[in-house]
Amino acid sequence: MSSDVLLSVKDISILSEDRQCNIVDTISFDVMEGSIHSIIGPNGAGKSTLGYAIMGVYHPCSGKIFFEGEDITDLSITERAKRGITLAWQTPTRFDGLSVYDYIGVSVKDKNLIEQRVGEALEIVSLDPDIYLKRKVDANLSGGERKRIELAAVIAMRPKLVILDEAEAGMDLIVLESFMDIFNKIKKLGMTILLITHREDIGMVSDNSTLIWDGKVLANGPFRDIMVLYCQKAGLKKICNRTLFNQFDECIDKIIEEETRENKI
Amino acid sequence: MSERSDSSEILNSLEKYNLDISDYLPSHSGPKLVLNFNKITTVSEVEGIILKGREIENGIIADIVIKEGTVLEDPIHLCFGVNKETGLQEIFPRIIAEDNSSVTLQAHCSFPNAKNLTHKMFGHIYVGKNCKFVYNETHYHGEHNGTTVAPVSYVYVGENSYFENNFFLTQGTIGRMKIQIDIYAFKDSIINSNVKAFGKNSLDSIRVRDAVFLEGENARSIIKMKAAAIGGGEVMMFGITEGNAANTTGHVDCTEIVKDRGSRCRAIPLIRATDESCHITHEASLGKVDSAQLNALMARGLDEDEATDLIIKNML
């Protein structure tokens, strides 16, 4: 993995619509090129707002965002996309009449590669091109199909940085593992992933994490360390019961050990 | 130029705008009635279909009967075209679909060279019991904003029948267009009416009145109206549904996108119920393109204008 910083967020703050409080409050973190960096935190912590600010949907009232060393704070969504940033939306919107082929194909800069890239991308997200290419990106797709098509559009685009905003939201547990496989395939294609999630089991694919709580950064660091802190903040027992992964259990064991030592349990 | 080749030219004008006319060319053997201006150039019947045209001053009367039990795979093609730049064309279709029949009527109204041309239609469609009747009307008005189009249709849909109306004018300019369609739905019938129109400049003016009267118990309907006004164009859509019998259900859905200075969109959904068991609803949205859709496409590298054009093109 390259040790170059791809994205650098410096002290950004975003005001609420009524301008009464900061949804995001002086947040800073770096995302290394080629890594999966997760933004972790509970519902309402400001994770999605932060992701939208990096994409250019929201503009911070203070602070700067740098991408490959360039200040992109004042750039539009389109300009950021042209520099290699894109976002897969938590609830991807539907389009009347727009085919899956055209929706994914829009992302491909080289028009000679559209057909090849669209087919490849659909296969990576486990959707049969023969079935899906002519379908419309409208209300007839299920939530899971729409999410996979969103990921396919991202894959076909080949951006430098992909912001995945709770890509797993609404998916059942069986599908989750295949999503993590897709994230790894995106990484192998050379894309850096900024993974926004409030699920500790999804965050496990990440190399580094940032824990956000009430709009502020609580910690930056390796995923395991961040998870320990997250579990302490979120309430240990509940998370322990619904985790699926051994790696996460190790984190829990570590906390239990610490808390037992402190005679809390 | 012969009348026959004029008709081909009218059809070719549709193909130029990506409208698939392969099933409607003169060589095609399906049932058809083709006009060039106010002259009937082709009448072709098939078993189970009676097609009669009569020329009158400034137009024609077209009588079409689909006999009881007739089920047609191929559409019946009506081509009302005018190659001239000016003139008046008046069409009086009288269509009867007898019980247990199933057909699609495809009407092409093409006026590729219109500069001061008026097309009027006054039509009646009677659909019997247990029928499936699909009426597609596709217009192309050329590039000169020189057309005035005013079709009025009355449709009566019998017991347990399905009627679908699809009116599309999304290619080329519009000029002035005023459409009225009144559909009367009887017991257990289903109505699906779709109108799409695209006003592209300040000389384009569209007014559509699409009305469904649910007169028989359990009748159901949906009206979907989609339009865009750009470059100073004007669109006004009235979507009307009345529930006048027990357990009738109707919905009016109107989506209009407005872009550029001087463009105007208006939507007037009018719903009325005279029975306590009716359920009639409406939904209308006017204004700019949905910001979530714009953001999604801009995040893939399209600028705002490119994204807007793509959304409008596909919506219509």
Side-chain angles (χ1 to χ4, degrees), chain B residues 95-101 124-135 153-165 181-193 210-222 245 248:
Chain B
I95 301 167
I96 298 170
E98 293 183 352
D99 295 351
N100 305 309
S101 59
H124 285 82
I125 301 175
Y126 301 90
V127 180
K129 294 178 183 173
N130 307 314
C131 294
K132 181 182 178 188
F133 192 103
V134 178
Y135 182 72
S153 301
Y154 293 95
V155 182
Y156 305 87
V157 182
E159 192 175 320
N160 200 37
S161 285
Y162 172 82
F163 177 80
E164 182 177 318
N165 170 56
I181 178 163
D182 286 3
I183 303 170
Y184 295 85
F186 295 97
K187 188 181 173 189
D188 295 322
S189 60
I190 298 173
I191 310 299
N192 182 353
S193 185
D210 197 346
V212 177
F213 304 95
L214 300 164
E215 301 294 340
E217 62 184 74
N218 301 318
R220 289 176 283 157
S221 69
I222 181 160
T248 51

Side-chain angles (χ1 to χ4, degrees), chain A residues 55 57 77-78 81-82 85-87 89 93-98 103 106-107 150 153-154 157, chain B residues 226 255 290 292-304 306 310-311 313-316:
Chain A
M55 189 66 248
V57 178
I77 300 172
T78 305
K82 284 183 174 168
I85 303 175
T86 197
L87 189 148
W89 310 84
T93 190
R94 317 274 175 154
F95 294 86
D96 277 351
L98 186 63
Y103 180 66
V106 156
S107 309
E150 191 68 3
V154 163
M157 184 180 173
Chain B
K226 292 181 189 290
T255 306
D290 179 55
Q293 293 182 335
L294 270 183
N295 289 342
L297 294 173
M298 288 164 70
R300 301 288 137 71
L302 271 62
D303 65 31
E304 190 168 342
E306 290 169 333
L310 186 69
I311 292 163
K313 182 181 151 216
N314 283 285
M315 182 186 89
L316 298 177

Side-chain angles (χ1 to χ4, degrees), chain B residues 8 11 41-42 44-45 131 185 223:
Chain B
S8 297
L11 282 165
T41 59
T42 310
S44 170
E45 294 179 338
C131 294
I223 296 174

